[in-house]
Amino acid sequence: MSNLETSRGNWGSKFGFIIAAAGSAIGLGNIWRFPYVAGENGGAAFVLIYIIFVVLIGLPVMIAELAIGRNTEKNPVGAFKKLFPQSLWKAIGGLGVITGIGILSFYAVIAGYTVGYFIKIILGDFSAVESAAQSGQIFAAFTANPYISIGLLLVFIILTVLVVMGGVSAGIERWSKILMPLLFLLLIILAIYSITLEGASKGLSFYLKPDLSKITLTTFARALGQALFSLSLGMGTMITYGSYISKRDNLVTSAAYVCFFDTLIAILAGLVIFPALFAMGMDPAGGPGLVFVVLPSIFAKMPGGMIFGAGIFLLLAVAALTSTISLLEVPVAYFVDEHGWSRKKAVVSMGAITFIIGIPSALALGANHFFSTFIKENFGFLDFMNALFGNYSLSIGAFFIAIFAGYKWGVNAISREIQEQGSVFYFRPIWAFLIRFICPIAIFVILAYIAWTGNYF
Ligand code: PFF
């Protein structure tokens, strides 16, 4: 029996925690979402702001979430309730629970597509691909099939449910330790290949040479959403994961590792996608289909490409799974801790609800006209959920978590938690400044600007 079922349990080791938290952070956000959002928002200028946000907002908020979680040993709702029983702060935890379901519902659709692509590559569906246009047609035809899209969504939800039912540490840690480094290795090989393609240099300069004139406040808004999404912040995932971390571990260094590796993988994914994309003369603002179109076109040309292709989509599916389990874990921990549900009941019912909410997203890349053009042309229900929960909910959540950490529970309480058992709180004054001023003000200005201009999507 896993230790979660007997008690709350702990990660096997500090390394175990870092690998599990990195498993939550590293996923489709890095390899699917980051490149297409960067491509839509000006390339290098976006990347620059993104990195600044990871350091100035992501890292401090992650430290705060981990400290809240470890101190209370609770899910997000329980954590706020334990610290301030009579206050409304638990509503922020509640928003996190809903956000977890919201994100999982569309995330599992894309994750399902990675499984589908793994199978398609093995079946040889891409062996005759000669151009990016052809690869694009294959993707469009694939996602236009409602049975396949919904079926793959179901498969992925079931996979997630099975893992989460078994408890936290054992399975996740064991697999992530082997597979995440392998994903890293494959991405490096692919990046090298992509950079050496003819015509790749245009892609490199799009991706790495910032054109500051392309920066608008919208760029900041997208970069903020992307940073929080990629680091699994703003909905209490790191509160939940922090509740399983040992008092011996240093939260600050753990958080720094997670932020570093997560960003490294995202940057690397861009180095795979953009050089190849420009070499093939494609549009960087291709939207959510981008990696599914670009990657197979790379494999088609590459020696041994199909083996790489199968490998990368398999590992992408695994990376997505270590993220979906963290998404499902938040509502599950909530119903188990706060409503006394059995773990099995919580997991199965949350999985079922997420599947149903996910169906419109599964139909949103061509299978159904209404859902595919839900907001506007080329911006369907999946994009809508992605923006609503993946950008705005997380931004609002992170804003309040920063306020909570900086003012309500307070910098001293967090410091005490971090300094448990002699751990050193590195850069404490800088952290305090960031969490009290930079994080809330920056997030507030960005959200106010978006609300003011109505430029939500
Ligand atoms: N961070 C994950 C990714 O980049 O793929 C997605 C995610 C997981 C977002 C967990 C939020 C979360 F709470």
Side-chain angles (χ1 to χ4, degrees), residues 223-258:
L224 172 68
Q226 178 58 28
L228 296 172
F229 185 91
S230 190
L231 295 168
S232 305
L233 293 174
M235 53 161 274
T237 302
M238 291 298 166
I239 296 181
T240 310
Y241 269 37
S243 73
Y244 304 109
I245 201 174
S246 145
K247 292 278 185 200
R248 278 191 315 268
D249 294 342
N250 188 317
L251 298 181
V252 179
T253 43
S254 302
Y257 274 118
V258 175

PDB file of all heavy atoms in Angstrom, residues 223-258:
ATOM      1  N   ALA A 223       3.054  36.103 -21.206  1.00  0.00           N
ATOM      2  CA  ALA A 223       4.251  35.550 -20.577  1.00  0.00           C
ATOM      3  C   ALA A 223       3.979  35.190 -19.119  1.00  0.00           C
ATOM      4  O   ALA A 223       4.452  34.167 -18.624  1.00  0.00           O
ATOM      5  CB  ALA A 223       5.413  36.541 -20.673  1.00  0.00           C
ATOM      6  N   LEU A 224       3.193  36.021 -18.445  1.00  0.00           N
ATOM      7  CA  LEU A 224       2.848  35.723 -17.056  1.00  0.00           C
ATOM      8  C   LEU A 224       2.053  34.417 -16.978  1.00  0.00           C
ATOM      9  O   LEU A 224       2.375  33.520 -16.200  1.00  0.00           O
ATOM     10  CB  LEU A 224       2.022  36.866 -16.452  1.00  0.00           C
ATOM     11  CG  LEU A 224       1.446  36.583 -15.064  1.00  0.00           C
ATOM     12  CD1 LEU A 224       2.561  36.486 -14.030  1.00  0.00           C
ATOM     13  CD2 LEU A 224       0.433  37.656 -14.650  1.00  0.00           C
ATOM     14  N   GLY A 225       1.012  34.318 -17.799  1.00  0.00           N
ATOM     15  CA  GLY A 225       0.200  33.101 -17.804  1.00  0.00           C
ATOM     16  C   GLY A 225       1.055  31.883 -18.115  1.00  0.00           C
ATOM     17  O   GLY A 225       0.960  30.849 -17.449  1.00  0.00           O
ATOM     18  N   GLN A 226       1.914  32.026 -19.109  1.00  0.00           N
ATOM     19  CA  GLN A 226       2.741  30.893 -19.508  1.00  0.00           C
ATOM     20  C   GLN A 226       3.711  30.491 -18.386  1.00  0.00           C
ATOM     21  O   GLN A 226       3.909  29.313 -18.118  1.00  0.00           O
ATOM     22  CB  GLN A 226       3.509  31.222 -20.797  1.00  0.00           C
ATOM     23  CG  GLN A 226       4.452  30.129 -21.276  1.00  0.00           C
ATOM     24  CD  GLN A 226       3.757  28.801 -21.526  1.00  0.00           C
ATOM     25  OE1 GLN A 226       2.571  28.747 -21.845  1.00  0.00           O
ATOM     26  NE2 GLN A 226       4.493  27.708 -21.342  1.00  0.00           N
ATOM     27  N   ALA A 227       4.300  31.479 -17.708  1.00  0.00           N
ATOM     28  CA  ALA A 227       5.247  31.155 -16.635  1.00  0.00           C
ATOM     29  C   ALA A 227       4.527  30.411 -15.503  1.00  0.00           C
ATOM     30  O   ALA A 227       5.015  29.388 -15.014  1.00  0.00           O
ATOM     31  CB  ALA A 227       5.910  32.421 -16.111  1.00  0.00           C
ATOM     32  N   LEU A 228       3.351  30.899 -15.111  1.00  0.00           N
ATOM     33  CA  LEU A 228       2.623  30.246 -14.021  1.00  0.00           C
ATOM     34  C   LEU A 228       2.171  28.855 -14.441  1.00  0.00           C
ATOM     35  O   LEU A 228       2.302  27.877 -13.698  1.00  0.00           O
ATOM     36  CB  LEU A 228       1.416  31.090 -13.598  1.00  0.00           C
ATOM     37  CG  LEU A 228       1.745  32.466 -13.016  1.00  0.00           C
ATOM     38  CD1 LEU A 228       0.467  33.274 -12.810  1.00  0.00           C
ATOM     39  CD2 LEU A 228       2.511  32.336 -11.701  1.00  0.00           C
ATOM     40  N   PHE A 229       1.651  28.751 -15.661  1.00  0.00           N
ATOM     41  CA  PHE A 229       1.191  27.460 -16.157  1.00  0.00           C
ATOM     42  C   PHE A 229       2.345  26.466 -16.164  1.00  0.00           C
ATOM     43  O   PHE A 229       2.236  25.346 -15.671  1.00  0.00           O
ATOM     44  CB  PHE A 229       0.638  27.634 -17.576  1.00  0.00           C
ATOM     45  CG  PHE A 229       0.010  26.398 -18.159  1.00  0.00           C
ATOM     46  CD1 PHE A 229      -1.346  26.150 -17.994  1.00  0.00           C
ATOM     47  CD2 PHE A 229       0.760  25.477 -18.885  1.00  0.00           C
ATOM     48  CE1 PHE A 229      -1.941  25.014 -18.531  1.00  0.00           C
ATOM     49  CE2 PHE A 229       0.175  24.345 -19.427  1.00  0.00           C
ATOM     50  CZ  PHE A 229      -1.181  24.114 -19.251  1.00  0.00           C
ATOM     51  N   SER A 230       3.461  26.902 -16.728  1.00  0.00           N
ATOM     52  CA  SER A 230       4.575  25.984 -16.884  1.00  0.00           C
ATOM     53  C   SER A 230       5.142  25.537 -15.542  1.00  0.00           C
ATOM     54  O   SER A 230       5.590  24.401 -15.399  1.00  0.00           O
ATOM     55  CB  SER A 230       5.671  26.643 -17.726  1.00  0.00           C
ATOM     56  OG  SER A 230       6.634  25.690 -18.075  1.00  0.00           O
ATOM     57  N   LEU A 231       5.116  26.430 -14.554  1.00  0.00           N
ATOM     58  CA  LEU A 231       5.680  26.080 -13.249  1.00  0.00           C
ATOM     59  C   LEU A 231       4.631  25.473 -12.310  1.00  0.00           C
ATOM     60  O   LEU A 231       4.910  25.221 -11.146  1.00  0.00           O
ATOM     61  CB  LEU A 231       6.295  27.321 -12.603  1.00  0.00           C
ATOM     62  CG  LEU A 231       7.509  27.910 -13.335  1.00  0.00           C
ATOM     63  CD1 LEU A 231       7.865  29.285 -12.782  1.00  0.00           C
ATOM     64  CD2 LEU A 231       8.708  26.975 -13.239  1.00  0.00           C
ATOM     65  N   SER A 232       3.425  25.241 -12.807  1.00  0.00           N
ATOM     66  CA  SER A 232       2.338  24.670 -11.985  1.00  0.00           C
ATOM     67  C   SER A 232       2.021  25.555 -10.778  1.00  0.00           C
ATOM     68  O   SER A 232       1.863  25.069  -9.664  1.00  0.00           O
ATOM     69  CB  SER A 232       2.677  23.267 -11.479  1.00  0.00           C
ATOM     70  OG  SER A 232       3.008  22.404 -12.512  1.00  0.00           O
ATOM     71  N   LEU A 233       1.928  26.863 -11.005  1.00  0.00           N
ATOM     72  CA  LEU A 233       1.704  27.778  -9.880  1.00  0.00           C
ATOM     73  C   LEU A 233       0.369  28.495  -9.997  1.00  0.00           C
ATOM     74  O   LEU A 233      -0.163  28.665 -11.086  1.00  0.00           O
ATOM     75  CB  LEU A 233       2.817  28.827  -9.844  1.00  0.00           C
ATOM     76  CG  LEU A 233       4.198  28.284  -9.521  1.00  0.00           C
ATOM     77  CD1 LEU A 233       5.237  29.389  -9.652  1.00  0.00           C
ATOM     78  CD2 LEU A 233       4.238  27.678  -8.126  1.00  0.00           C
ATOM     79  N   GLY A 234      -0.137  28.925  -8.846  1.00  0.00           N
ATOM     80  CA  GLY A 234      -1.323  29.762  -8.836  1.00  0.00           C
ATOM     81  C   GLY A 234      -2.599  29.002  -8.527  1.00  0.00           C
ATOM     82  O   GLY A 234      -3.661  29.603  -8.405  1.00  0.00           O
ATOM     83  N   MET A 235      -2.519  27.678  -8.429  1.00  0.00           N
ATOM     84  CA  MET A 235      -3.726  26.918  -8.096  1.00  0.00           C
ATOM     85  C   MET A 235      -3.491  25.955  -6.938  1.00  0.00           C
ATOM     86  O   MET A 235      -4.334  25.106  -6.658  1.00  0.00           O
ATOM     87  CB  MET A 235      -4.254  26.162  -9.316  1.00  0.00           C
ATOM     88  CG  MET A 235      -3.243  25.278 -10.010  1.00  0.00           C
ATOM     89  SD  MET A 235      -4.013  24.032 -11.066  1.00  0.00           S
ATOM     90  CE  MET A 235      -4.313  22.731  -9.872  1.00  0.00           C
ATOM     91  N   GLY A 236      -2.338  26.093  -6.295  1.00  0.00           N
ATOM     92  CA  GLY A 236      -2.116  25.278  -5.112  1.00  0.00           C
ATOM     93  C   GLY A 236      -1.534  23.898  -5.369  1.00  0.00           C
ATOM     94  O   GLY A 236      -1.466  23.077  -4.451  1.00  0.00           O
ATOM     95  N   THR A 237      -1.115  23.624  -6.586  1.00  0.00           N
ATOM     96  CA  THR A 237      -0.447  22.343  -6.835  1.00  0.00           C
ATOM     97  C   THR A 237       0.797  22.226  -5.966  1.00  0.00           C
ATOM     98  O   THR A 237       1.055  21.183  -5.363  1.00  0.00           O
ATOM     99  CB  THR A 237      -0.029  22.240  -8.318  1.00  0.00           C
ATOM    100  OG1 THR A 237      -1.188  22.369  -9.111  1.00  0.00           O
ATOM    101  CG2 THR A 237       0.627  20.902  -8.608  1.00  0.00           C
ATOM    102  N   MET A 238       1.546  23.320  -5.890  1.00  0.00           N
ATOM    103  CA  MET A 238       2.770  23.268  -5.096  1.00  0.00           C
ATOM    104  C   MET A 238       2.469  23.345  -3.596  1.00  0.00           C
ATOM    105  O   MET A 238       3.295  22.954  -2.786  1.00  0.00           O
ATOM    106  CB  MET A 238       3.747  24.366  -5.533  1.00  0.00           C
ATOM    107  CG  MET A 238       4.323  24.119  -6.919  1.00  0.00           C
ATOM    108  SD  MET A 238       5.287  22.577  -7.013  1.00  0.00           S
ATOM    109  CE  MET A 238       5.426  22.378  -8.796  1.00  0.00           C
ATOM    110  N   ILE A 239       1.270  23.812  -3.240  1.00  0.00           N
ATOM    111  CA  ILE A 239       0.859  23.695  -1.835  1.00  0.00           C
ATOM    112  C   ILE A 239       0.640  22.214  -1.536  1.00  0.00           C
ATOM    113  O   ILE A 239       1.132  21.671  -0.549  1.00  0.00           O
ATOM    114  CB  ILE A 239      -0.440  24.499  -1.556  1.00  0.00           C
ATOM    115  CG1 ILE A 239      -0.204  25.995  -1.759  1.00  0.00           C
ATOM    116  CG2 ILE A 239      -0.960  24.218  -0.142  1.00  0.00           C
ATOM    117  CD1 ILE A 239      -1.416  26.872  -1.482  1.00  0.00           C
ATOM    118  N   THR A 240      -0.089  21.562  -2.427  1.00  0.00           N
ATOM    119  CA  THR A 240      -0.378  20.146  -2.232  1.00  0.00           C
ATOM    120  C   THR A 240       0.911  19.324  -2.241  1.00  0.00           C
ATOM    121  O   THR A 240       1.123  18.481  -1.363  1.00  0.00           O
ATOM    122  CB  THR A 240      -1.314  19.648  -3.355  1.00  0.00           C
ATOM    123  OG1 THR A 240      -2.415  20.543  -3.452  1.00  0.00           O
ATOM    124  CG2 THR A 240      -1.827  18.259  -3.066  1.00  0.00           C
ATOM    125  N   TYR A 241       1.778  19.580  -3.214  1.00  0.00           N
ATOM    126  CA  TYR A 241       3.033  18.825  -3.263  1.00  0.00           C
ATOM    127  C   TYR A 241       3.938  19.177  -2.079  1.00  0.00           C
ATOM    128  O   TYR A 241       4.640  18.325  -1.554  1.00  0.00           O
ATOM    129  CB  TYR A 241       3.754  19.070  -4.605  1.00  0.00           C
ATOM    130  CG  TYR A 241       3.372  18.063  -5.674  1.00  0.00           C
ATOM    131  CD1 TYR A 241       2.070  17.588  -5.783  1.00  0.00           C
ATOM    132  CD2 TYR A 241       4.315  17.572  -6.570  1.00  0.00           C
ATOM    133  CE1 TYR A 241       1.721  16.665  -6.754  1.00  0.00           C
ATOM    134  CE2 TYR A 241       3.974  16.645  -7.545  1.00  0.00           C
ATOM    135  CZ  TYR A 241       2.675  16.202  -7.635  1.00  0.00           C
ATOM    136  OH  TYR A 241       2.336  15.280  -8.599  1.00  0.00           O
ATOM    137  N   GLY A 242       3.907  20.446  -1.680  1.00  0.00           N
ATOM    138  CA  GLY A 242       4.724  20.868  -0.544  1.00  0.00           C
ATOM    139  C   GLY A 242       4.301  20.186   0.746  1.00  0.00           C
ATOM    140  O   GLY A 242       5.090  20.018   1.671  1.00  0.00           O
ATOM    141  N   SER A 243       3.033  19.757   0.807  1.00  0.00           N
ATOM    142  CA  SER A 243       2.553  19.126   2.026  1.00  0.00           C
ATOM    143  C   SER A 243       3.170  17.744   2.210  1.00  0.00           C
ATOM    144  O   SER A 243       3.054  17.147   3.268  1.00  0.00           O
ATOM    145  CB  SER A 243       1.027  19.045   2.023  1.00  0.00           C
ATOM    146  OG  SER A 243       0.562  18.073   1.123  1.00  0.00           O
ATOM    147  N   TYR A 244       3.810  17.238   1.187  1.00  0.00           N
ATOM    148  CA  TYR A 244       4.457  15.924   1.320  1.00  0.00           C
ATOM    149  C   TYR A 244       5.971  16.031   1.453  1.00  0.00           C
ATOM    150  O   TYR A 244       6.679  15.040   1.428  1.00  0.00           O
ATOM    151  CB  TYR A 244       4.145  15.054   0.092  1.00  0.00           C
ATOM    152  CG  TYR A 244       2.666  14.869  -0.171  1.00  0.00           C
ATOM    153  CD1 TYR A 244       2.055  15.475  -1.255  1.00  0.00           C
ATOM    154  CD2 TYR A 244       1.888  14.099   0.684  1.00  0.00           C
ATOM    155  CE1 TYR A 244       0.702  15.322  -1.499  1.00  0.00           C
ATOM    156  CE2 TYR A 244       0.533  13.945   0.445  1.00  0.00           C
ATOM    157  CZ  TYR A 244      -0.054  14.562  -0.640  1.00  0.00           C
ATOM    158  OH  TYR A 244      -1.390  14.406  -0.874  1.00  0.00           O
ATOM    159  N   ILE A 245       6.492  17.264   1.557  1.00  0.00           N
ATOM    160  CA  ILE A 245       7.944  17.437   1.575  1.00  0.00           C
ATOM    161  C   ILE A 245       8.445  17.407   3.026  1.00  0.00           C
ATOM    162  O   ILE A 245       7.736  17.819   3.937  1.00  0.00           O
ATOM    163  CB  ILE A 245       8.315  18.771   0.878  1.00  0.00           C
ATOM    164  CG1 ILE A 245       9.760  18.787   0.404  1.00  0.00           C
ATOM    165  CG2 ILE A 245       8.106  19.942   1.792  1.00  0.00           C
ATOM    166  CD1 ILE A 245      10.057  20.059  -0.411  1.00  0.00           C
ATOM    167  N   SER A 246       9.673  16.921   3.219  1.00  0.00           N
ATOM    168  CA  SER A 246      10.193  16.769   4.577  1.00  0.00           C
ATOM    169  C   SER A 246      10.704  18.091   5.149  1.00  0.00           C
ATOM    170  O   SER A 246      11.158  18.972   4.420  1.00  0.00           O
ATOM    171  CB  SER A 246      11.323  15.729   4.546  1.00  0.00           C
ATOM    172  OG  SER A 246      12.319  16.076   5.457  1.00  0.00           O
ATOM    173  N   LYS A 247      10.616  18.214   6.471  1.00  0.00           N
ATOM    174  CA  LYS A 247      11.073  19.435   7.150  1.00  0.00           C
ATOM    175  C   LYS A 247      12.580  19.640   6.983  1.00  0.00           C
ATOM    176  O   LYS A 247      13.098  20.728   7.180  1.00  0.00           O
ATOM    177  CB  LYS A 247      10.752  19.363   8.650  1.00  0.00           C
ATOM    178  CG  LYS A 247       9.261  19.416   8.958  1.00  0.00           C
ATOM    179  CD  LYS A 247       8.715  20.836   8.969  1.00  0.00           C
ATOM    180  CE  LYS A 247       7.265  20.863   9.406  1.00  0.00           C
ATOM    181  NZ  LYS A 247       6.550  22.075   8.996  1.00  0.00           N
ATOM    182  N   ARG A 248      13.259  18.575   6.667  1.00  0.00           N
ATOM    183  CA  ARG A 248      14.722  18.679   6.511  1.00  0.00           C
ATOM    184  C   ARG A 248      15.109  19.413   5.232  1.00  0.00           C
ATOM    185  O   ARG A 248      16.178  19.966   5.120  1.00  0.00           O
ATOM    186  CB  ARG A 248      15.337  17.268   6.427  1.00  0.00           C
ATOM    187  CG  ARG A 248      15.558  16.580   7.743  1.00  0.00           C
ATOM    188  CD  ARG A 248      16.418  15.347   7.497  1.00  0.00           C
ATOM    189  NE  ARG A 248      15.951  14.585   6.333  1.00  0.00           N
ATOM    190  CZ  ARG A 248      15.086  13.572   6.390  1.00  0.00           C
ATOM    191  NH1 ARG A 248      14.621  13.197   7.538  1.00  0.00           N
ATOM    192  NH2 ARG A 248      14.717  12.926   5.302  1.00  0.00           N
ATOM    193  N   ASP A 249      14.246  19.344   4.226  1.00  0.00           N
ATOM    194  CA  ASP A 249      14.647  19.868   2.920  1.00  0.00           C
ATOM    195  C   ASP A 249      14.610  21.382   2.876  1.00  0.00           C
ATOM    196  O   ASP A 249      13.774  22.012   3.521  1.00  0.00           O
ATOM    197  CB  ASP A 249      13.723  19.321   1.833  1.00  0.00           C
ATOM    198  CG  ASP A 249      13.884  17.829   1.673  1.00  0.00           C
ATOM    199  OD1 ASP A 249      14.926  17.298   2.135  1.00  0.00           O
ATOM    200  OD2 ASP A 249      12.985  17.186   1.116  1.00  0.00           O
ATOM    201  N   ASN A 250      15.491  21.937   2.080  1.00  0.00           N
ATOM    202  CA  ASN A 250      15.507  23.386   1.900  1.00  0.00           C
ATOM    203  C   ASN A 250      14.560  23.766   0.754  1.00  0.00           C
ATOM    204  O   ASN A 250      14.795  23.436  -0.407  1.00  0.00           O
ATOM    205  CB  ASN A 250      16.930  23.855   1.606  1.00  0.00           C
ATOM    206  CG  ASN A 250      17.026  25.364   1.618  1.00  0.00           C
ATOM    207  OD1 ASN A 250      16.158  26.055   1.078  1.00  0.00           O
ATOM    208  ND2 ASN A 250      18.052  25.876   2.258  1.00  0.00           N
ATOM    209  N   LEU A 251      13.475  24.455   1.117  1.00  0.00           N
ATOM    210  CA  LEU A 251      12.451  24.785   0.113  1.00  0.00           C
ATOM    211  C   LEU A 251      12.985  25.720  -0.962  1.00  0.00           C
ATOM    212  O   LEU A 251      12.570  25.649  -2.118  1.00  0.00           O
ATOM    213  CB  LEU A 251      11.262  25.460   0.802  1.00  0.00           C
ATOM    214  CG  LEU A 251      10.502  24.636   1.836  1.00  0.00           C
ATOM    215  CD1 LEU A 251       9.350  25.450   2.408  1.00  0.00           C
ATOM    216  CD2 LEU A 251       9.990  23.368   1.203  1.00  0.00           C
ATOM    217  N   VAL A 252      13.881  26.609  -0.560  1.00  0.00           N
ATOM    218  CA  VAL A 252      14.354  27.616  -1.513  1.00  0.00           C
ATOM    219  C   VAL A 252      15.187  26.961  -2.615  1.00  0.00           C
ATOM    220  O   VAL A 252      14.977  27.209  -3.808  1.00  0.00           O
ATOM    221  CB  VAL A 252      15.154  28.720  -0.790  1.00  0.00           C
ATOM    222  CG1 VAL A 252      15.670  29.748  -1.781  1.00  0.00           C
ATOM    223  CG2 VAL A 252      14.277  29.385   0.260  1.00  0.00           C
ATOM    224  N   THR A 253      16.122  26.107  -2.207  1.00  0.00           N
ATOM    225  CA  THR A 253      16.937  25.458  -3.249  1.00  0.00           C
ATOM    226  C   THR A 253      16.084  24.493  -4.068  1.00  0.00           C
ATOM    227  O   THR A 253      16.246  24.409  -5.290  1.00  0.00           O
ATOM    228  CB  THR A 253      18.142  24.702  -2.652  1.00  0.00           C
ATOM    229  OG1 THR A 253      17.720  24.000  -1.500  1.00  0.00           O
ATOM    230  CG2 THR A 253      19.251  25.639  -2.268  1.00  0.00           C
ATOM    231  N   SER A 254      15.147  23.799  -3.405  1.00  0.00           N
ATOM    232  CA  SER A 254      14.281  22.891  -4.170  1.00  0.00           C
ATOM    233  C   SER A 254      13.504  23.662  -5.237  1.00  0.00           C
ATOM    234  O   SER A 254      13.433  23.254  -6.400  1.00  0.00           O
ATOM    235  CB  SER A 254      13.282  22.182  -3.252  1.00  0.00           C
ATOM    236  OG  SER A 254      13.951  21.463  -2.250  1.00  0.00           O
ATOM    237  N   ALA A 255      12.925  24.792  -4.825  1.00  0.00           N
ATOM    238  CA  ALA A 255      12.143  25.599  -5.774  1.00  0.00           C
ATOM    239  C   ALA A 255      13.036  26.098  -6.910  1.00  0.00           C
ATOM    240  O   ALA A 255      12.629  26.103  -8.079  1.00  0.00           O
ATOM    241  CB  ALA A 255      11.492  26.777  -5.048  1.00  0.00           C
ATOM    242  N   ALA A 256      14.251  26.491  -6.562  1.00  0.00           N
ATOM    243  CA  ALA A 256      15.159  27.012  -7.588  1.00  0.00           C
ATOM    244  C   ALA A 256      15.495  25.923  -8.618  1.00  0.00           C
ATOM    245  O   ALA A 256      15.519  26.182  -9.828  1.00  0.00           O
ATOM    246  CB  ALA A 256      16.431  27.547  -6.943  1.00  0.00           C
ATOM    247  N   TYR A 257      15.718  24.720  -8.134  1.00  0.00           N
ATOM    248  CA  TYR A 257      15.984  23.613  -9.064  1.00  0.00           C
ATOM    249  C   TYR A 257      14.814  23.401 -10.023  1.00  0.00           C
ATOM    250  O   TYR A 257      14.980  23.234 -11.224  1.00  0.00           O
ATOM    251  CB  TYR A 257      16.199  22.303  -8.298  1.00  0.00           C
ATOM    252  CG  TYR A 257      17.616  22.075  -7.823  1.00  0.00           C
ATOM    253  CD1 TYR A 257      17.899  21.976  -6.469  1.00  0.00           C
ATOM    254  CD2 TYR A 257      18.661  21.944  -8.732  1.00  0.00           C
ATOM    255  CE1 TYR A 257      19.193  21.761  -6.009  1.00  0.00           C
ATOM    256  CE2 TYR A 257      19.957  21.724  -8.294  1.00  0.00           C
ATOM    257  CZ  TYR A 257      20.218  21.639  -6.930  1.00  0.00           C
ATOM    258  OH  TYR A 257      21.492  21.433  -6.495  1.00  0.00           O
ATOM    259  N   VAL A 258      13.620  23.365  -9.447  1.00  0.00           N
ATOM    260  CA  VAL A 258      12.437  23.102 -10.277  1.00  0.00           C
ATOM    261  C   VAL A 258      12.281  24.190 -11.340  1.00  0.00           C
ATOM    262  O   VAL A 258      12.069  23.904 -12.522  1.00  0.00           O
ATOM    263  CB  VAL A 258      11.162  22.994  -9.407  1.00  0.00           C
ATOM    264  CG1 VAL A 258       9.928  22.845 -10.277  1.00  0.00           C
ATOM    265  CG2 VAL A 258      11.280  21.809  -8.449  1.00  0.00           C
TER     266      VAL A 258
END
